[in-house]
Amino acid sequence: VATVAFPGTLLSTPSHYAVFLHGDTPLTAKLLKATLVDPVSAAVIETKPRPWYATALLLSQPLHFGDYGGLPLKILWALLDLVTLVVLWSGLVLWWRKHRHAAAVPANVAHAATTARGGA
């Protein structure tokens, strides 16, 4: 049992307990299962399957916080972060050079046009 929500709270109904269970394996320990329990007879009223997106979210949470894989996975994420930063930086440098070059070309063209007409 992970959590028990009493009747009338946000996680339960006004007349039932909501019991949240988790598994005993490393994979199922992250997956919560909600069950409604009758407070008088302690009978399980309803257990619905979790939506696929909730399962994906619960399984990805340890990846986000670095709980799976230990140090090797953290090193891999750090390397992937560095690759992302290099791609971002190179894109910014190319964009900056393009805009600097584009701003310089019209000035050179205007100067060439005035000198061709005999201007200063």
Side-chain angles (χ1 to χ4, degrees), residues 20-94:
F20 295 92
L21 307 168
H22 59 82
D24 55 353
T25 66
L27 183 64
T28 60
K30 303 297 180 186
L31 299 174
L32 294 176
K33 184 176 187 177
T35 305
L36 286 178
V37 178
D38 182 40
V40 177
S41 66
V44 174
I45 302 296
E46 186 176 7
T47 301
K48 286 192 173 184
R50 194 175 33 261
W52 66 269
Y53 54 84
T55 302
L57 183 66
L58 289 170
L59 288 176
S60 67
Q61 181 181 3
L63 284 174
H64 177 72
F65 292 108
D67 295 343
Y68 290 150
L71 187 60
L73 188 62
K74 289 179 183 179
I75 292 172
L76 175 65
W77 278 114
L79 292 174
L80 291 173
D81 287 342
L82 290 175
V83 168
T84 303
L85 289 173
V86 166
V87 169
L88 173 67
W89 178 252
S90 65
L92 288 173
V93 167
L94 289 172

